Amino acid sequence: MYKFISLASGKKPDVSKLLPYIFLLLLCFLTSNKVFAQSDPAINGTVVMENGSPVEFASVALQNEEGKGIKGTLTDSLGRFSFPALQHGKYRIKISNMGYITHHTNIIQLTAQRSMVILGKLKLMEDAQTLNSVNISVQKKVIEQSIDKMTINVENSILSAGNTALELLQRAPGIKVDDEGKISLKGRTGVNVMINGKLTYLSPAELAVLLKGTNSASVSKIEIMANPSAKYDAAGNAGIINIVMKKSQMKGLNGSVSINGGAGRKARYGSGFSLNYKNAGVNVFGSYNYTYRGETEYLDFSRRFYTNGIVTGNYDRISNQHTETNEPLNTNNFRAGMDVDIDQKNTLGFLINGNIGKYLHDSKTSNILQNQSGVIQSEMATTNYDQQNWSNITYNLNYLRKFKKEARTLSADVDFAGNSFTSKLNLDTYTAPNASTPAKTSNRKGYVPAKTDVYVAKVDYSDQPGKAIKIDGGIKSAFINADNNLLYQNLADGAWVYDPSSSNYFKYEEQIHAAYLNLNREFKTFTVQLGLRGEYTHTLGNQVTTGAVLKRNYFQLFPNVALNKTAGENNQFQLAYSRRIQRPDYGDLNPFRVFRDPLLYYEGNPYLTPELTQNIVLSHVFKAKYTTALNYSRTTGVITWVTGQIDTLNTTYERPQNLKSLVNYGISFTGQTNYFNWWTATNFANIYNHVYRGGDESGAFKNSQVSFTINTQNSFKLGSGYSAELNAYFNSKSVYGISTEKAYHSVSAAFQKNLFKDKANLKMLVNDIFQSSQYKQFTRYQNIDMNSHVNVDGRRVMLSFSYRFGNTFNIKERKNGDDDIQNRIKGGG
């Protein structure tokens, strides 16, 4: 499906391979230039709020003189809409959006003398019956669906109170989070997670810890893009999830305070505050949140061993392992920044984001090995004490230039992220005596200082040179340096002795240099977006301990095509294609071993290669409420964790490998329904098929399964300041690599009461009411016969209180038209 274009050898890339893409973009550009000379009748306009801020994704319908719908569209990120290539005649425009009074224009007449009508800014007035001028929780739906992305307005959800960012993702439609924090979207792994539009460049394990340590009180919304444009990094085969942090845009001094507490199997609590001051030329903001999360999990592993390593007939011996964990987590989140309007056209901003925390994994494990007759051959008791500390601090300097022409902007960002992680662990095992061997004790300790520095610089340019064409382009460079030094020691004769077989010093460098161009052209009845992104990647993995060095250089092109078609007032269609990449992270490349107990460990694989995905999606949106999507994707070299087993040592291990391929195809449906004035819901269903095929390293195999997920999010207005939410999801049996996961489900509910003239609210959350979110998995592969059950600490009750103060009159904040710029330029949400 692809080839690496080697630059390490000194050979130049084969330009002939680039010609089809260059020709396609050039043809599109030359064809689109005709728009400058044409004079087809057209109607253009911009939809804004009362304060002049643009309204994104408002429904705009073109009607005839009698009010019958002809076709429809949605406003873009700057509130703009356009109906090009019309016939001469009389028209009306109808604009509608949640929480606003529907706007109707007077009759617009297009003639030979007046073929171009620019309506200017059309102001939507708020609907007093559906909006409350103080309470922000009713300003937006909890879930908003457009043709190219889904937005979850976390700050408006009662169910978000007292949760972490990872737990928020777990309830999002189409997203699945497993027991180890791996995230999948519509059944596909390889999701790229961004915070405020910026990549974290962390390993999945470090990202999971970061998201567990991010309080939901800090999160404004979550954006889910299954088919992002070439403007975004090509990483992320399944798409992109962007977590946008809170930041007020109100003038004057304002802020909020919050506190929460509750318990699952252990206590949880937290508190925080935010402050914001904004005047005509300066915006200063800051926030801090502290979270303590107590947690206990129960893990059971059953492993059967067979004679001659063949899984057939009766097993020779069986190992049953039970683990009970105590996992307290302390996190501190803070952010501070300033935006300065140098003049009306130039803005300069600075932002610092920080996440500092401590995590303790304290577990006790029993491991009993029995023969076929049930006679105990060995019995071990292991204590695993692992204290982890981390610090993630990001500094951002940003600049925004607005030109005289409203649609033209230039932005620049420079980021530095320092990420440090340390792990101090002790693994102590007692083996009970039996008839053939005496009792013995083994003691092992490890120290892992890990440091990752990330430097990123990028420039983006956006313009609209004609009434029917938009251009976006930019360049970006990222430099990543990771340094991991794992040191293991064993206790021998009362002294700690270095263990060279398990220790490893691994250094990793990565450079990614990218450029992209997006062209958006509107025709009479449809819109075409063509994008092309080129990325050059240089990686250098250095195992200092062994002296082994692995170097890779490659250049890849990532085209992106989207065809949008409107059919009447109520129907929108999109056909989209993209090619994406998922590079192995340095954690997967690092070959060091992490022991759960002496008979179970995990290790990396320095020989992993990137996986490439071709993705096609056909979507239909009806009445801006119901979205149906058909998708097909094929991934080559898919990276999957594969279980291995050393029968002679009764030991099991897991390591990532490149499988031959993964084919995924399915259909999803999202419906937003108002059952009654007091009951609204977003329902999501996805049916898909996964087909994994093995390669040379993993052996030839095929593992496939038709699966489905269902998610329903319900909001209730109960009157007198009371409201409630109910969320439920069901994930059916599914496959991941060589393993199969059994079905599980969860039901959560929350209640809210507004207080003090809607400046405060009191929320109660009951999460996973039936304790039904349990992860059960089995593997039957080569000589592996293994079952596992992870009983997570899912059920809990949380109570939270928040209070807003200061200038709250204008808190009715919607998605501003320049929010995408603000997220990128002014430090994000």
Side-chain angles (χ1 to χ4, degrees):
M1 295 296 293
Y2 71 93
K3 287 184 178 180
F4 291 126
I5 302 176
S6 177
L7 301 181
S9 61
K11 296 181 180 180
K12 296 182 179 179
D14 187 353
V15 179
S16 64
K17 297 180 180 179
L18 311 184
L19 290 178
Y21 300 110
I22 298 173
F23 176 78
L24 181 63
L25 286 174
L26 182 60
L27 179 63
C28 175
F29 185 78
L30 293 176
T31 303
S32 63
N33 277 340
K34 294 180 181 179
V35 74
F36 301 131
Q38 68 185 25
S39 57
D40 291 339
I43 300 175
N44 300 318
T46 303
V47 181
V48 299
M49 293 184 281
E50 291 179 83
N51 63 2
S53 299
V55 179
E56 181 185 22
F57 298 134
S59 297
V60 185
L62 179 70
Q63 302 175 334
N64 61 17
E65 185 179 4
E66 288 76 29
K68 182 179 179 180
I70 300 174
K71 59 181 179 178
T73 187
L74 297 176
T75 57
D76 64 13
S77 61
L78 296 178
R80 301 169 302 190
F81 69 89
S82 178
F83 292 108
L86 301 175
Q87 301 295 324
H88 293 152
K90 296 180 180 181
Y91 300 93
R92 294 178 184 269
I93 298 293
K94 173 187 172 183
I95 305 171
S96 58
N97 200 43
M98 178 70 176
Y100 290 101
I101 299 173
T102 300
H103 180 85
H104 297 269
T105 66
N106 295 325
I107 292 177
I108 304 166
Q109 188 167 3
L110 298 178
T111 65
Q113 294 75 30
R114 189 171 181 256
S115 62
M116 169 67 73
V117 174
I118 300 177
L119 298 176
K121 296 183 178 180
L122 303 177
K123 187 176 296 185
L124 288 185
M125 308 300 293
E126 293 166 349
D127 188 346
Q129 294 182 350
T130 59
L131 292 179
N132 181 299
S133 64
V134 175
N135 186 2
I136 193 171
S137 65
V138 298
Q139 299 310 301
K140 303 177 185 176
K141 295 178 181 178
V142 173
I143 297 176
E144 295 177 325
Q145 174 74 53
S146 64
I147 198 164
D148 61 346
K149 72 177 177 181
M150 177 185 292
T151 301
I152 303 171
N153 295 303
V154 173
E155 56 190 339
N156 296 341
S157 173
I158 310 171
L159 280 163
S160 67
N163 280 308
T164 67
L166 192 65
E167 291 164 341
L168 294 177
L169 292 178
Q170 200 166 24
R171 281 200 295 266
I175 294 180
K176 182 178 177 181
V177 181
D178 69 9
D179 60 296
E180 295 179 352
K182 291 194 292 287
I183 301 169
S184 60
L185 177 59
K186 291 187 177 181
R188 293 189 293 149
T189 56
V191 180
N192 205 15
V193 177
M194 301 191 301
I195 297 178
N196 289 331
K198 305 177 190 301
L199 294 177
T200 61
Y201 297 97
L202 299 176
S203 69
E206 292 173 335
L207 177 62
V209 172
L210 175 63
L211 295 179
K212 286 179 182 179
T214 302
N215 194 318
S216 61
S218 304
V219 180
S220 171
K221 59 189 173 184
I222 297 172
E223 298 173 333
I224 304 170
M225 294 169 277
N227 196 57
S229 72
K231 175 181 177 179
Y232 296 92
D233 290 80
N237 287 333
I240 290 176
I241 297 173
N242 183 30
I243 300 174
V244 181
M245 310 303 286
K246 288 182 179 178
K247 175 185 162 188
S248 176
Q249 297 289 338
M250 296 178 295
K251 290 186 178 181
L253 178 65
N254 55 80
S256 66
V257 293
S258 64
I259 186 170
N260 65 77
R265 294 175 181 145
K266 296 287 180 67
R268 294 186 175 201
Y269 50 84
S271 62
F273 68 88
S274 66
L275 285 172
N276 183 82
Y277 174 76
K278 183 176 183 179
N279 62 20
V282 177
N283 185 25
V284 181
F285 55 92
S287 64
Y288 170 80
N289 285 279
Y290 169 79
T291 300
Y292 172 81
R293 189 203 69 186
E295 186 173 58
T296 293
E297 289 187 347
Y298 306 106
L299 301 90
D300 290 280
F301 294 91
S302 175
R303 290 167 284 175
R304 296 176 176 86
F305 300 87
Y306 293 79
T307 303
N308 299 324
I310 301 175
V311 181
T312 182
N314 296 322
Y315 61 85
D316 180 59
R317 56 201 185 281
I318 182 172
S319 169
N320 290 309
Q321 175 182 317
H322 175 75
T323 300
E324 179 178 338
T325 71
N326 175 36
E327 303 177 61
L329 175 74
N330 294 269
T331 62
N332 300 269
N333 284 278
F334 61 89
R335 66 195 311 259
M338 175 184 293
D339 304 323
V340 179
D341 295 329
I342 301 173
D343 52 37
Q344 292 183 345
K345 296 181 180 180
N346 297 278
T347 300
L348 189 65
F350 172 78
L351 173 71
I352 177 172
N353 269 316
N355 184 291
I356 299 174
K358 179 175 68 175
Y359 168 72
L360 178 65
H361 178 93
D362 184 9
S363 65
K364 292 179 173 58
T365 300
S366 63
N367 194 315
I368 299 176
L369 181 68
Q370 298 171 291
N371 63 19
Q372 192 181 57
S373 302
V375 177
I376 296 177
Q377 295 185 321
S378 70
E379 183 175 0
M380 295 187 298
T382 300
T383 299
N384 189 335
Y385 187 90
D386 184 6
Q387 180 176 315
Q388 301 176 5
N389 294 269
W390 73 89
S391 172
N392 308 100
I393 301 179
T394 302
Y395 304 90
N396 169 260
L397 182 65
N398 50 77
Y399 168 75
L400 173 65
R401 164 73 175 180
K402 295 180 180 179
F403 295 86
K404 186 175 181 180
K405 186 177 180 180
E406 183 178 330
R408 183 180 300 167
T409 59
L410 176 70
S411 63
D413 275 86
V414 178
D415 292 89
F416 167 71
N419 306 285
S420 65
F421 176 87
T422 60
S423 172
K424 298 179 181 179
L425 60 92
N426 289 274
L427 194 69
D428 303 317
T429 301
Y430 170 77
T431 303
N434 56 33
S436 59
T437 58
K440 66 176 182 179
T441 301
S442 65
N443 304 92
R444 168 177 292 189
K445 69 178 182 179
Y447 177 60
V448 187
K451 185 175 178 59
T452 305
D453 291 332
V454 180
Y455 306 85
V456 181
K458 67 173 184 172
V459 177
D460 295 282
Y461 175 79
S462 179
D463 197 4
Q464 187 172 356
K467 64 182 180 181
I469 184 171
K470 302 172 187 175
I471 299 177
D472 292 292
I475 57 175
K476 178 180 178 180
S477 288
F479 302 83
I480 301 97
N481 293 308
D483 190 309
N484 282 9
N485 190 3
L486 173 63
L487 174 65
Y488 271 121
Q489 293 177 297
N490 296 321
L491 187 63
D493 298 326
W496 290 104
V497 180
Y498 174 70
D499 181 3
S501 63
S502 301
S503 302
N504 189 67
Y505 185 15
F506 183 74
K507 300 178 72 174
Y508 179 74
E509 297 178 7
E510 183 177 274
Q511 297 181 27
I512 302 175
H513 305 284
Y516 75 91
L517 178 64
N518 272 331
L519 298 176
N520 187 294
R521 167 72 194 275
E522 294 181 354
F523 294 90
K524 184 174 181 180
T525 59
F526 64 95
T527 301
V528 179
Q529 177 175 284
L530 297 178
L532 183 62
R533 187 179 186 91
E535 293 189 352
Y536 165 74
T537 305
H538 165 80
T539 64
L540 177 64
N542 181 9
Q543 296 184 51
V544 180
T545 303
T546 63
V549 176
L550 186 61
K551 182 178 181 180
R552 287 195 177 102
N553 299 277
Y554 52 92
F555 176 80
Q556 290 280 304
L557 286 174
F558 303 97
N560 183 289
V561 181
L563 306 176
N564 292 281
K565 165 81 173 175
T566 58
E569 184 177 341
N570 296 321
N571 296 280
Q572 280 188 293
F573 296 89
Q574 183 184 78
L575 177 63
Y577 164 81
S578 63
R579 183 174 187 262
R580 303 188 65 79
I581 188 172
Q582 187 68 20
R583 301 174 180 87
D585 66 85
Y586 67 86
D588 289 347
L589 293 169
N590 194 341
F592 70 74
R593 294 179 177 179
V594 176
F595 288 84
R596 176 67 60 87
D597 66 37
L599 302 182
L600 179 62
Y601 66 85
Y602 308 89
E603 65 179 5
N605 180 0
Y607 301 103
L608 292 174
T609 59
E611 55 183 61
L612 271 294
T613 295
Q614 312 268 359
N615 186 40
I616 300 176
V617 181
L618 175 62
S619 304
H620 170 240
V621 178
F622 179 66
K623 290 187 175 181
K625 291 183 178 181
Y626 309 102
T627 303
T628 305
L630 292 166
N631 71 277
Y632 173 87
S633 68
R634 186 175 190 273
T635 302
T636 55
V638 57
I639 300 173
T640 306
W641 282 83
V642 176
T643 303
Q645 190 167 279
I646 306 174
D647 290 331
T648 56
L649 301 177
N650 301 319
T651 299
T652 302
Y653 62 89
E654 288 190 12
R655 71 196 301 259
Q657 293 183 14
N658 286 106
L659 303 186
K660 183 178 180 180
S661 66
L662 165 63
V663 172
N664 170 279
Y665 54 90
I667 182 172
S668 64
F669 173 78
T670 306
Q672 297 181 317
T673 306
N674 297 331
Y675 294 115
F676 303 99
N677 290 335
W678 52 272
W679 179 8
T680 62
T682 298
N683 300 307
F684 173 85
N686 182 35
I687 301 175
Y688 62 93
N689 187 23
H690 265 164
V691 182
Y692 284 93
R693 295 184 184 274
D696 296 335
E697 184 180 7
S698 58
F701 75 91
K702 176 183 177 182
N703 194 15
S704 63
Q705 176 71 47
V706 176
S707 308
F708 67 91
T709 62
I710 299 173
N711 184 298
T712 179
Q713 172 79 29
N714 299 265
S715 300
F716 307 91
K717 297 178 182 178
L718 306 179
S720 301
Y722 288 94
S723 56
E725 286 184 18
L726 178 69
N727 175 274
Y729 63 82
F730 179 87
N731 293 315
S732 75
K733 180 180 177 182
S734 61
V735 295
Y736 172 74
I738 64 173
S739 301
T740 301
E741 185 176 63
K742 296 183 178 181
Y744 65 93
H745 63 280
S746 177
V747 178
S748 303
F751 304 88
Q752 175 176 283
K753 168 62 176 175
N754 292 333
L755 303 168
F756 307 134
K757 297 181 179 180
D758 292 339
K759 290 186 176 181
N761 60 63
L762 184 66
K763 301 177 183 178
M764 185 181 74
L765 161 72
V766 185
N767 191 71
D768 195 9
I769 298 173
F770 305 105
Q771 189 67 38
S772 52
S773 183
Q774 304 293 318
Y775 301 99
K776 298 179 181 180
Q777 193 176 81
F778 64 87
T779 304
R780 307 287 185 270
Y781 167 72
Q782 294 183 351
N783 63 331
I784 305 296
D785 184 353
M786 177 176 169
N787 288 58
S788 65
H789 176 200
V790 182
N791 187 341
V792 298
D793 193 356
R795 180 167 57 191
R796 58 188 176 276
V797 178
M798 299 292 297
L799 193 66
S800 68
F801 174 82
S802 64
Y803 178 78
R804 294 184 301 274
F805 58 87
N807 180 11
T808 59
F809 181 78
N810 292 321
I811 201 168
K812 307 182 298 293
E813 181 187 343
R814 294 185 167 269
K815 173 74 166 77
N816 292 338
D818 63 347
D819 270 3
D820 58 336
I821 298 174
Q822 296 298 330
N823 292 341
R824 186 174 72 243
I825 302 303
K826 295 190 176 183

